[in-house]
Amino acid sequence: TLAGLRRVLSERCGVELDTMHDRLIDSHIVEGFVIRRWRGSAEVDSIKFKIWLYQMVTQVLRPSFTQKDSLDFRQPLQSLKAPTGEVRAAFLDLVNKQVGRWCVASDEETLRWCRWVVSVAAEACLPDGHPQLEWSADLGAEAFPAEAPVPEGCVPRSPDRAYWITLGDHAVGRLIAAGGAGSHAAPAPCVK
């Protein structure tokens, strides 16, 4: 969220984020951001980091869950993990293919952060065959297996929200908690 990004930049970097976002849009969700530096009215050369988190969700997470890149989130979903518990190779291939569309960076270190964010989402995905992933609206909302055990480290699915958005939010929360580039702690894997 915009508030979370402002807090991290202020507390960890001593940077006060001034945006017009809250004056133009009645929302605190950041679909993307660009960090630039200024001295007076002149822009100072710096690493530019652009990340469109919404595009990460729509170009990598959503198509990885469904066979036909469907917008219908109330259908059975394929896990981002193979039956072995490892992240599917097809997902990792899609990340590498699409990363340049949602993450523009001037150095390899920043690109690693972009890959880290999406890997956090994948690691938190429910395992292959989990009852919450197999549910569809055809079964009825009352049939959603909310009580199905969720493995430690995994994020549960809700029948009322696209799972790819839930995982994207989780990953962004981890990014904010990690404080941005500089502390590449590996995501804690969700255990089967």
Side-chain angles (χ1 to χ4, degrees):
T1 67
L2 186 56
L5 177 61
R6 282 188 174 133
R7 187 181 71 249
V8 167
L9 289 174
S10 177
E11 292 173 3
R12 297 184 188 232
C13 306
V15 173
E16 295 303 317
L17 180 63
D18 183 25
T19 68
M20 294 184 63
H21 182 274
D22 53 344
R23 291 177 226 151
L24 301 173
I25 300 170
D26 187 22
S27 170
H28 291 285
I29 296 172
V30 179
E31 289 187 1
F33 55 88
V34 178
I35 298 175
R36 301 166 72 183
R37 294 185 341 173
W38 298 86
R39 184 171 290 127
S41 62
E43 184 173 4
V44 176
D45 285 341
S46 62
I47 293 175
K48 293 187 177 54
F49 175 57
K50 302 177 185 180
I51 181 168
W52 288 271
L53 300 169
Y54 178 75
Q55 288 186 0
M56 174 190 77
V57 170
T58 59
Q59 293 176 351
V60 178
L61 293 177
R62 186 183 71 218
S64 297
F65 278 108
T66 61
Q67 299 297 329
K68 300 175 185 169
D69 192 18
S70 171
L71 296 176
D72 182 8
F73 65 89
R74 292 182 173 99
Q75 64 179 318
L77 302 176
Q78 171 181 286
S79 178
L80 300 180
K81 297 178 183 175
T84 61
E86 296 176 358
V87 175
R88 292 183 188 274
F91 175 78
L92 297 174
D93 290 343
L94 186 60
V95 168
N96 288 328
K97 180 180 171 188
Q98 297 290 337
V99 70
R101 293 183 178 200
W102 56 271
C103 180
V104 178
S106 54
D107 64 4
E108 186 57 37
E109 179 73 13
T110 305
L111 284 173
R112 272 200 301 262
W113 262 109
C114 292
R115 288 184 181 96
W116 181 85
V117 169
V118 76
S119 73
V120 166
E123 289 293 336
C125 183
L126 292 166
D128 190 54
H130 192 278
Q132 290 183 1
L133 292 181
E134 293 178 349
W135 173 84
S136 78
D138 295 340
L139 300 171
E142 65 283 347
F144 181 78
E147 301 303 319
V150 174
E152 182 179 342
C154 288
V155 173
R157 180 183 181 191
S158 166
D160 301 319
R161 187 177 197 209
Y163 192 47
W164 46 85
I165 293 174
T166 300
L167 287 176
D169 279 352
H170 168 78
V172 170
R174 290 282 307 274
L175 175 67
I176 290 170
S183 60
H184 289 287
C190 146
V191 181
K192 248 185 170 178

